[in-house]
Amino acid sequence: MQPEDIKNHIERLRIREQELAAALADPGIYAKQDECRRLGGEQRKLESLFADFSCWEESLRQISENRSALARENDPEMRALLELDIEELEKRSAELEEKVQLALLPPEPNDSKNIIVEIKPAAGGDEAALFAAELYRAYMHFAEQEGWKVEILDHSATDLGGVKDVSFSISGSDVFSLMKYESGVHRVQRIPTTEAGGRIHTSTVTVSVMPEAEAVELDLNPEDLRFDVFRSSGAGGQHVNTTDSAVRVTHIPSGVSVASQQEKSQHRNKEIALRILYARLLEHKQQTEAAKQAADKRSQVGTGDRSERIRTYNFPQNRVTDHRFNVSSYDLPKVMEGEFRLVLNPILKQVCEARLEELRQA
């Protein structure tokens, strides 16, 4: 993208910013929380883009002035200072140009959506369940660091403190654009606390990250949904509800079924089950559409399918490796404390570079 093209694009976006400001000045918008959040997020991104663009223009102006001064300067010491200043400005200008171009890239369809995350142990028995619990806690820390809001939708624990399955929603800025890289099979290699012989075990956990969906996005027929209620049950027969508060909702055409028994209220469990069901149906719909497009850009980051092994957590080597991007971090304890940026930032850099290259070739 040439500088003049960027400038023209920026000018069109300034008109969009005025439209956003007018929309957000309307008191009625605050009654529509989702719309208000979406417009506010778009406005903040535009403000950041305009600030970077202004800095880029200023750096280009300074480079031009310094080059003109260099052409007139005869003193060797002053020429050396000008050349050094030009070199630093050109480096800064290139960084700002790339940042502006990345901001101008069209977002992926789901990037602005909130998400529902499901974590389940796969292979490895109790050790897999324990790691599922640790991964769940790590995501909680990550969400806190990013300023996101978390809501627990469903949680089932094992007697040893592991997780049978857990579902939670995360809302905030750019949630899906970061968390989408977590979908798949996470493998852990370590010596379990129950291992007397000191042998390293390999276990796996599945993570599914789904954009939240509304019924209108899916064009669902209410008659295609079947609701069943049943009595909730707890671990070891304890905490059993005496009323039929648990709810199972089934999408009859696809056979997809979701049950919720986390809450004491049948109404609340129905709401949670529907949210998870809508997310699963949207995920299935989008993956089906993506499978029909061999050149789909999402192939660069995998399908997000839960059967795809994406990452290994090797505790003896203190290493976390993402197999899709050949990215490794040798600070596993920090990652398990929620510092997923150690892995995600290099991934985002690769993805952005690939998208920029596509833009240059277009």
Side-chain angles (χ1 to χ4, degrees):
M1 188 180 294
Q2 297 302 314
E4 193 60 33
D5 294 330
I6 293 176
K7 187 172 183 178
N8 291 337
H9 200 152
I10 291 290
E11 291 308 314
R12 289 194 293 270
L13 289 176
R14 291 193 190 280
I15 297 173
R16 174 58 180 164
E17 185 191 33
Q18 294 173 3
E19 295 172 351
L20 290 170
L24 291 169
D26 180 1
I29 191 66
Y30 297 99
K32 308 170 185 175
Q33 292 187 3
D34 290 342
E35 182 73 1
C36 184
R37 185 181 66 248
R38 184 183 66 81
L39 295 180
E42 185 180 351
Q43 185 185 52
R44 287 190 295 273
K45 287 182 179 179
L46 286 179
E47 290 172 349
S48 178
L49 168 61
F50 296 152
D52 289 335
F53 180 71
S54 294
C55 290
W56 180 43
E57 282 194 312
E58 176 61 20
S59 68
L60 291 176
R61 186 189 64 77
Q62 291 180 16
I63 290 170
S64 178
E65 288 183 356
N66 282 4
R67 283 177 177 164
S68 297
L70 183 63
R72 298 188 303 268
E73 186 60 58
N74 294 319
D75 182 73
E77 189 172 328
M78 284 300 299
R79 286 183 63 86
L81 288 173
L82 285 168
E83 287 171 351
L84 180 61
D85 198 27
I86 289 171
E87 183 181 342
E88 291 177 351
L89 282 167
E90 286 179 337
K91 181 181 179 182
R92 174 63 175 156
S93 174
E95 292 173 350
L96 285 166
E97 180 181 6
E98 182 171 286
K99 193 173 181 181
V100 168
Q101 287 195 1
L102 287 174
L104 291 175
L105 289 173
E108 297 290 341
N110 295 320
D111 278 358
S112 63
K113 288 182 178 291
N114 297 327
I115 61 172
I116 289 177
V117 182
E118 293 181 331
I119 304 175
K120 296 181 180 181
D126 289 335
E127 169 65 3
L130 289 170
F131 185 67
E134 292 176 40
L135 198 56
Y136 163 56
R137 286 192 291 271
Y139 286 140
M140 295 299 99
H141 291 312
F142 182 45
E144 183 179 2
Q145 292 169 16
E146 295 292 324
W148 296 336
K149 179 183 176 182
V150 176
E151 180 184 2
I152 310 304
L153 302 178
D154 204 6
H155 184 280
S156 178
T158 67
D159 293 336
L160 295 178
V163 162
K164 293 180 182 178
D165 59 76
V166 60
S167 302
F168 53 96
S169 68
I170 306 181
S171 57
S173 177
D174 300 321
V175 173
F176 186 80
S177 64
L178 283 174
M179 286 294 293
K180 64 185 176 184
Y181 299 105
E182 298 302 305
S183 271
V185 174
H186 295 241
R187 181 176 67 174
V188 57
Q189 295 174 320
R190 65 182 178 184
I191 302 172
T193 54
T194 55
E195 171 56 54
R199 292 172 299 179
I200 296 174
H201 287 222
T202 297
S203 305
T204 56
V205 169
T206 62
V207 176
S208 179
V209 178
M210 302 171 290
E212 281 233 53
E214 300 290 342
V216 292
E217 292 181 73
L218 299 165
D219 193 25
L220 292 181
N221 185 343
E223 295 180 359
D224 288 337
L225 299 178
R226 184 180 72 242
F227 295 91
D228 301 300
V229 295
F230 56 98
R231 190 160 297 178
S232 301
S233 60
Q238 299 177 356
H239 314 298
V240 180
N241 287 349
T242 57
T243 59
D244 292 336
S245 61
V247 176
R248 179 183 294 106
V249 56
T250 303
H251 181 242
I252 299 170
S254 66
V256 175
S257 179
V258 175
S260 176
Q261 59 178 6
Q262 177 75 7
E263 304 292 334
K264 294 180 180 180
S265 161
Q266 184 184 115
H267 176 77
R268 177 64 176 145
N269 282 326
K270 178 181 177 181
E271 177 189 324
I272 290 172
L274 280 172
R275 285 177 66 184
I276 297 175
L277 177 72
Y278 292 160
R280 286 185 183 175
L281 291 175
L282 180 61
E283 179 191 44
H284 176 73
K285 175 184 176 183
Q286 292 180 339
Q287 287 189 352
T288 300
E289 291 171 352
K292 297 176 182 177
Q293 303 173 15
D296 190 278
K297 294 175 185 174
R298 290 198 303 158
S299 63
Q300 296 170 6
V301 299
T303 62
D305 190 276
R306 278 164 261 187
S307 64
E308 180 185 7
R309 190 191 73 188
I310 63 163
R311 195 172 297 158
T312 294
Y313 303 75
N314 188 307
F315 279 74
Q317 296 180 12
N318 193 36
R319 171 176 54 83
V320 181
T321 298
D322 192 286
H323 303 291
R324 298 160 298 177
F325 297 90
N326 196 26
V327 166
S328 291
S329 169
Y330 288 87
D331 206 340
L332 191 152
K334 282 189 176 180
V335 174
M336 296 310 296
E337 285 299 317
E339 296 190 29
F340 283 94
R341 287 278 188 174
L342 292 171
V343 178
L344 290 175
N345 281 350
I347 289 175
L348 292 171
K349 187 174 186 295
Q350 287 190 37
V351 172
C352 289
E353 287 174 350
R355 294 190 69 192
L356 273 178
E357 186 59 30
E358 289 179 4
L359 188 66
R360 294 186 188 106
Q361 295 176 0

